[in-house]
Amino acid sequence: AQNPVYIADAAHTLSREDFIGLLSTYSKSIPELNWKSVQESGFREQYEQSFEAFKKGILKKTVPIILQESQASLSFENKVYILEMLLQNKNFGWSYGFFNGSRGMIGHTPESLIIWNKKNQVAETMALAGTLPRTETAKFEIENDKKIRTEHNYVVDDISEKLSEFKFEKSETKAEELKHLVHLKTDCKI
């Protein structure tokens, strides 16, 4: 059986500056987002499933995911506003959006799943696992914490295993300092 793959109707590549310029040509209305409370039950269910998988040896590491929802419509104006908020700071990573009519989601992640360089015929990904709050000493702490390093290596090993049929290369693991967090990061390519 094949894994489903979503193929977009259209894709556009703009520089950050060009994209900000394009967004600035639209009206500036601030939407009322009315955020719903995050449901602990969703997190607890994922935690319990993960715990069982750990006991059976199926998982070594996992990160439960919780989404926060708003009742605001994803009108064009609201999408523009949210994208402008994401672009206010030069954040490391990728902003994304998926839409189906007036429903969808917009977010930002420091991780890239895969980047294909057609010219060089190289696929790049990363292991970004192991996190501490950003402090004066966090970079040193994260690079020297055995538990965090071990958890990070679970992710690196999993990527290596999944891509083992290809010529797999990885960089040295280093601390990646973001606005509020510090992560361990290993770049990988095939």
Side-chain angles (χ1 to χ4, degrees), residues 41-175:
S41 62
F43 181 86
R44 183 167 301 286
E45 182 180 325
Q46 289 182 52
Y47 175 84
E48 289 169 0
Q49 290 172 351
S50 298
F51 186 76
E52 288 302 314
F54 285 123
K55 286 192 328 190
K56 295 176 182 173
I58 297 169
L59 287 177
K60 292 181 181 178
K61 179 172 176 41
T62 187
V63 179
I65 298 172
I66 298 298
L67 300 176
Q68 189 172 18
E69 296 180 52
S70 168
Q71 290 297 343
S73 78
L74 276 174
S75 65
F76 180 79
E77 292 78 16
N78 287 355
K79 290 176 193 174
V80 167
Y81 175 80
I82 293 168
L83 287 170
E84 284 184 313
M85 294 300 100
L86 282 172
L87 293 168
Q88 276 187 351
N89 298 310
K90 286 199 171 187
N91 295 318
F92 170 80
W94 305 90
S95 298
Y96 58 88
F98 302 98
F99 310 100
N100 184 2
S102 65
R103 294 183 51 90
M105 64 185 289
I106 296 175
H108 186 85
T109 180
E111 297 177 83
S112 61
L113 295 179
I114 193 153
I115 299 171
W116 175 248
N117 183 320
K118 186 176 180 179
K119 180 181 175 186
N120 296 331
Q121 299 288 297
V122 172
E124 299 174 349
T125 188
M126 68 172 66
L128 193 67
T131 306
L132 288 176
R134 186 170 178 175
T135 64
E136 292 282 324
T137 60
K139 186 175 179 181
F140 175 80
E141 290 173 35
I142 201 166
E143 288 177 334
N144 294 288
D145 186 297
K146 289 180 87 171
K147 179 183 178 291
I148 291 175
R149 180 70 68 153
T150 298
E151 290 179 0
H152 178 81
N153 287 337
Y154 288 150
V155 176
V156 174
D157 293 346
D158 187 58
I159 293 170
S160 176
E161 180 184 316
K162 299 283 191 281
L163 300 176
S164 63
E165 66 184 85
F166 305 100
K167 181 183 173 201
F168 179 80
E169 298 176 32
K170 66 180 181 178
S171 70
E172 180 180 329
T173 299
K174 62 181 182 179

Side-chain angles (χ1 to χ4, degrees), residues 13-25 83-84 87-91:
T13 303
L14 298 171
S15 71
R16 177 185 181 82
E17 291 73 25
D18 288 343
F19 189 47
I20 292 170
L22 175 66
L23 291 174
S24 71
T25 64
L83 287 170
E84 284 184 313
L87 293 168
Q88 276 187 351
N89 298 310
K90 286 199 171 187
N91 295 318

